[in-house]
Amino acid sequence: MSLYEPLFRRVLFPLYESGLRRRKTLRYLDEYERSQTLDEEALRALQWRKLQQLLRHCWEQVPFYRRTWSELGIRSPEDIRDQDDYARLPLLDKPTIRANFEELIATNRREGLLYKTTGGSTGEPLKFGYTHESYERRMAIMWRGYGWAGARLGQRTLYLWGTPVGAQKRKDRLYHAAFNRYMLSAFEMSDARMAEYADAIDRFRPETIVSYVAPIVKMSEWLIANGRRVHRPQRILGAAETLHESQRALIEQAFGCPAYNTYGCREFMLIAAECEHRKGLHINVDHLHVELGAGVGDDAAGPHEIIVTDLHNLGMPLLRYVNGDLATPGQGRCSCGRALPLLASVDGRKLDALRTPDGRYIPGEFIVYAFLGATGIRRYQVVQKRLDAFEITLVRDHDFDPSVVERMGAELRKVIGQQVALDFRFADDIPLTATGKQRVTVSELT
């Protein structure tokens, strides 16, 4: 452990987060570090108490839930007596949220509400609201989950991430330096520049690397193919896409350190993460209510629909929200001693990497970023059949503006350049995969 890490955790970060920003992230982190030590029965009781409080709030303050529950014959939140009753409430999906957006905002939390837009791995843009407390708790959960793999606040960390294209502002560089981290753009990676990325790792000498899965896999392949050894971090955390076992083995061969899987989505941030034993992903049930719903196929032990409720977002509560992902339930308890239940795997997220004629790989996550500001688009998908052409299918919404095509084209060209033709086309719908997902990007290149 470096001298900077305890200084950052005990002095600098509290001064910034609690003093300057007046946020309660550290208080929530302490709370969650205590609750993760509870036994299974105590965790269930804690989750149910939080859920009961949320149900009362939704009945009193969220018009959508009071209306829809009343239509089901519910006369008070006390009619929802246990987890089984809760599991019989209607599922919430993106079309329902878009159609009832204003009614889903709590009347007593409307002022000061924060908003985000997500495309997610399903390719359906969605705007949603959340409170400051919810954001601070999500950050605390993220730090706790990363900590299970040994990644801690103030630790020397390199991010191979979705940083803005081009030079970072001086303010951003100072901010990241204070957090003891270095940002590399996953959107500018190419075979020709791979040595620059390797050199950056050697210069920064990170203890931890956090990366989208596709870029760190591409770098691992390049390192192995070229016999290049880089500074060995203590761990690598994969994010935004599922880390498959073959990819994990490749990363560990290239970097000589363990690789860890995490799972989250923009609507809730971190949902589950691996601990040091890597026997499954611990679900943050002291922060979220997570259900595994309908299975895919006949195998009850196989992938199931993920249904999530944020227990602390009182501004725009998403109850029993179906985020479009699939997961396989874990079995038994982890030897780490945490009673937090396990996911064996997350099975339904796939963002193919696209390629450009000049040898660069564009993570599918970039397409999600490019479409975050697109209004009037219900779904989208980018298919690459040739190296020099992308087919971009759009499903228009009622407020579609044709000028969005030009704006999205300009946004994509910031990264892919002028050599790739962009063929925009419209459709009434986009077919789902066999597992019920809609892929944002599909590469048909061999």
Side-chain angles (χ1 to χ4, degrees):
M1 180 186 297
S2 68
L3 293 175
Y4 187 79
E5 187 181 319
L7 175 67
F8 182 82
R9 171 65 192 265
R10 297 170 188 168
V11 180
L12 298 180
F13 190 63
L15 284 174
Y16 172 77
E17 193 74 1
S18 304
L20 181 63
R21 301 304 300 270
R22 299 188 181 279
R23 294 194 290 223
K24 300 177 182 177
T25 308
L26 284 172
R27 182 191 301 179
Y28 297 139
L29 179 56
D30 289 340
E31 173 189 323
Y32 287 129
E33 286 179 339
R34 291 193 302 272
S35 61
Q36 72 178 348
T37 65
L38 297 174
D39 61 29
E40 189 174 346
E41 183 178 352
L43 276 171
R44 282 200 301 267
L46 172 64
Q47 184 187 64
W48 177 239
R49 286 196 301 272
K50 290 184 175 185
L51 187 56
Q52 285 179 304
Q53 293 169 0
L54 180 62
L55 291 169
R56 284 193 291 271
H57 170 76
C58 288
W59 179 264
E60 295 168 0
Q61 301 293 340
V62 184
F64 172 81
Y65 292 115
R66 181 153 190 151
R67 173 173 59 81
T68 55
W69 295 349
S70 296
E71 291 170 357
L72 295 172
I74 295 173
R75 295 292 173 256
S76 78
E78 282 68 35
D79 288 346
I80 306 169
R81 295 162 297 181
D82 52 30
Q83 298 274 12
D84 290 339
D85 282 348
Y86 185 68
R88 284 190 283 269
L89 294 177
L91 296 173
L92 185 69
D93 58 18
K94 290 179 180 179
T96 303
I97 293 171
R98 283 195 292 266
N100 300 276
F101 186 86
E102 292 299 326
E103 266 201 310
L104 279 162
I105 298 174
T107 55
N108 65 344
R109 294 291 198 284
R110 187 175 293 272
E111 187 175 348
L113 202 61
L114 306 171
Y115 294 95
K116 275 186 183 180
T117 303
T118 177
S121 60
T122 61
E124 295 180 77
L126 176 74
K127 181 180 178 182
F128 61 94
Y130 59 102
T131 60
H132 287 272
E133 177 185 347
S134 176
Y135 171 76
E136 292 159 18
R137 285 183 174 275
R138 293 174 185 191
M139 292 301 295
I141 282 291
M142 183 196 74
W143 287 117
R144 184 182 75 171
Y146 284 10
W148 293 338
R152 298 178 297 272
L153 277 164
Q155 193 174 76
R156 200 165 182 81
T157 303
L158 183 142
Y159 285 80
L160 185 53
W161 208 246
T163 59
V165 177
Q168 295 182 37
K169 296 179 181 179
R170 177 179 174 81
K171 182 179 69 173
D172 293 335
R173 291 197 300 270
L174 291 173
Y175 176 78
H176 292 309
F179 274 76
N180 206 14
R181 63 192 180 197
Y182 185 78
M183 310 297 290
L184 280 176
S185 174
F187 300 157
E188 297 179 328
M189 177 182 281
S190 67
D191 283 341
R193 296 190 60 193
M194 206 68 81
E196 296 177 34
Y197 281 67
D199 291 343
I201 292 173
D202 280 337
R203 284 194 304 272
F204 188 68
R205 302 180 66 80
E207 296 172 80
T208 296
I209 293 177
V210 180
S211 175
Y212 295 151
V213 171
I216 199 68
V217 168
K218 290 298 179 186
M219 171 163 272
S220 298
E221 292 171 341
W222 183 89
L223 291 172
I224 293 169
N226 289 272
R228 172 72 186 267
R229 306 298 298 180
V230 293
H231 166 77
R232 178 179 176 178
Q234 295 178 13
R235 65 198 61 82
I236 292 175
L237 275 63
E241 303 166 76
T242 298
L243 177 65
H244 299 290
E245 289 307 310
S246 59
Q247 296 171 321
R248 192 199 301 265
L250 190 71
I251 294 168
E252 293 180 348
Q253 178 186 348
F255 286 89
C257 69
Y260 295 84
N261 205 357
T262 67
Y263 169 58
C265 64
R266 195 169 173 84
E267 296 93 325
F268 306 107
M269 291 180 60
L270 190 68
I271 295 172
E274 289 184 319
C275 72
E276 62 273 23
H277 297 284
R278 299 188 295 171
K279 300 300 183 183
L281 293 87
H282 288 283
I283 307 171
N284 294 310
V285 297
D286 49 349
H287 172 67
L288 303 168
H289 185 278
V290 178
E291 305 166 68
L292 295 183
V296 177
D298 298 326
D299 184 5
H304 289 252
E305 191 174 46
I306 295 177
I307 305 166
V308 187
T309 300
D310 186 332
L311 297 170
H312 296 281
N313 182 10
L314 302 184
M316 188 176 178
L318 303 182
L319 273 60
R320 306 203 71 226
Y321 173 68
V322 182
N323 70 355
D325 292 335
L326 300 169
T328 297
Q331 303 296 324
R333 290 276 298 274
C334 181
S335 54
C336 71
R338 298 178 184 92
L340 297 167
L342 296 169
L343 295 176
S345 62
V346 179
D347 308 291
R349 308 184 79 188
K350 184 169 178 61
L351 296 173
D352 285 348
L354 305 174
R355 289 158 57 188
T356 62
D358 57 1
R360 290 178 294 123
Y361 293 90
I362 307 299
E365 193 71 14
F366 168 72
I367 303 301
V368 175
Y369 269 78
F371 274 84
L372 282 180
T375 56
I377 296 176
R378 189 155 51 87
R379 290 185 180 179
Y380 56 87
Q381 186 180 71
V382 179
V383 178
Q384 185 173 26
K385 298 179 180 178
R386 306 194 331 254
L387 197 60
D388 61 349
F390 291 172
E391 294 179 4
I392 304 167
T393 301
L394 305 178
V395 178
R396 291 167 286 192
D397 214 340
H398 64 88
D399 56 345
F400 175 76
D401 181 344
S403 66
V404 76
V405 173
E406 184 177 348
R407 292 200 304 274
M408 289 302 97
E411 196 66 28
L412 291 171
R413 290 206 179 280
K414 289 180 182 179
V415 167
I416 66 174
Q418 300 296 322
Q419 295 177 291
V420 178
L422 300 179
D423 179 12
F424 284 90
R425 52 187 65 187
F426 301 106
D428 294 332
D429 204 357
I430 296 173
L432 301 178
T433 68
T435 58
K437 289 293 297 289
Q438 181 182 322
R439 289 160 60 182
V440 169
T441 57
V442 178
S443 175
E444 297 183 0
L445 300 179
T446 56

